[in-house]
Amino acid sequence: MPASTSRARLMGELSAEFTGTMILILFGCGAVAQVVAGGALTHGALGDHDSIAWGWGLGVVMGVYVAARLSGAHINPAVTLALAAFKGFPWYKVLPYCLAQTAGAFVAALLVRWNYTEVLAKADPHHTHKTQIVFSTLPGNGVLPISQLGALRDQIIGTAVLVLLIFAVTDLLNTPPQANLAPFIIGLIVVVIGMGWGADAGYAINPARDLGPRLASFLTGYGGAWRDQYGDLYFWVPIVGPLIGGLVGALLYGLLISRYLPVVEPEPGRVPAPDE
């Protein structure tokens, strides 16, 4: 492949990762802003925890549909790293993909911050961790007594579950969803993780999802964005935890499932049935 064609292809992939992650954050952080900031002014009338979980999950669905044809729609550095380590994704693309994902998250968070300027200012005039949660995660969501170690543990486990399930859903040798429904199923994975694993650390499970919006909030008035509610540096937890967790999840899928799946050699001119 000529170098110019290769560069053009990579640019298309990075553009897709940027846009897909931007879509994810627009819906995800937008849902949190509506519930947390808007809800503070309307006594909870604009949604609840389940609204947030569905906002993030459906944001994943839309982001994957946007980016999948061009880049595979990783929209998550933990997924990109796991694919490189276990599925043959080119290592030279890992850093560019992660940067594009983080940039997309950053731009989307700026849009959410701008759109909800008045509501955020009224709900939290000093821009404290009360509404910092709109953009990035905190241990115990800023209210429960969770330590950094507890949040790190949570992020490792949550992301391991995420990546294991993504590998299962997208493995053609397993039973992948038909009729292009994989993005919807992956979105449901995020919803159920949010409903079952959201208390200890806000289920970032995606370094770009947390770092990009955290930087955006810091640049727009949230001086404590890098710290948790205890005043300790916290930004590294939703970066390191998901990167470790993604590798763990991919490893577990390989050890427990993938190695036992039969490789089907189709007969000429015939597609094998799912149970063959």
Side-chain angles (χ1 to χ4, degrees), residues 43-251:
H43 305 289
L46 294 179
D48 54 19
H49 171 271
D50 288 355
S51 304
I52 294 173
W54 280 106
W56 281 112
L58 292 175
V60 168
V61 174
M62 303 308 168
V64 172
Y65 273 124
V66 164
R69 181 64 181 270
L70 286 174
S71 69
H74 304 182
I75 61 176
N76 183 339
V79 173
T80 300
L81 180 62
L83 288 171
F86 292 93
K87 292 291 186 176
F89 182 74
W91 280 102
Y92 76 90
K93 292 184 179 181
V94 171
L95 182 57
Y97 264 55
C98 293
L99 292 175
Q101 294 154 1
T102 304
F106 172 76
V107 170
L110 286 178
L111 289 171
V112 172
R113 177 72 173 90
W114 182 33
N115 190 59
Y116 281 95
T117 297
E118 298 87 355
V119 176
L120 289 166
K122 183 68 174 180
D124 183 19
H126 300 293
H127 301 314
T128 68
H129 70 269
K130 288 172 56 180
T131 55
Q132 172 64 38
I133 201 73
V134 167
F135 303 99
S136 54
T137 58
L138 291 166
N141 293 315
V143 294
L144 297 177
I146 304 300
S147 66
Q148 286 200 6
L149 182 60
L152 181 65
R153 174 196 64 220
D154 172 270
Q155 286 299 285
I156 292 172
I157 297 172
T159 313
V161 171
L162 171 70
V163 171
L164 187 153
L165 291 173
I166 288 175
F167 275 35
V169 166
T170 58
D171 190 342
L172 296 179
L173 295 178
N174 206 327
T175 52
Q178 302 299 308
N180 200 25
L181 284 176
F184 182 72
I185 301 303
I186 293 171
L188 290 181
I189 293 170
V190 174
V191 172
V192 74
I193 289 174
M195 290 182 172
W197 290 85
D200 279 6
Y203 69 104
I205 56 177
N206 181 338
R209 168 266 175 273
D210 198 86
L211 179 59
R214 193 180 295 273
L215 177 59
S217 64
F218 174 74
L219 295 175
T220 58
Y222 285 84
W226 306 110
R227 300 181 180 273
D228 58 24
Q229 65 269 32
Y230 311 116
D232 300 322
L233 282 175
Y234 181 76
F235 74 93
W236 63 274
V237 172
I239 297 174
V240 174
L243 291 176
I244 295 173
L247 294 173
V248 171
L251 176 64

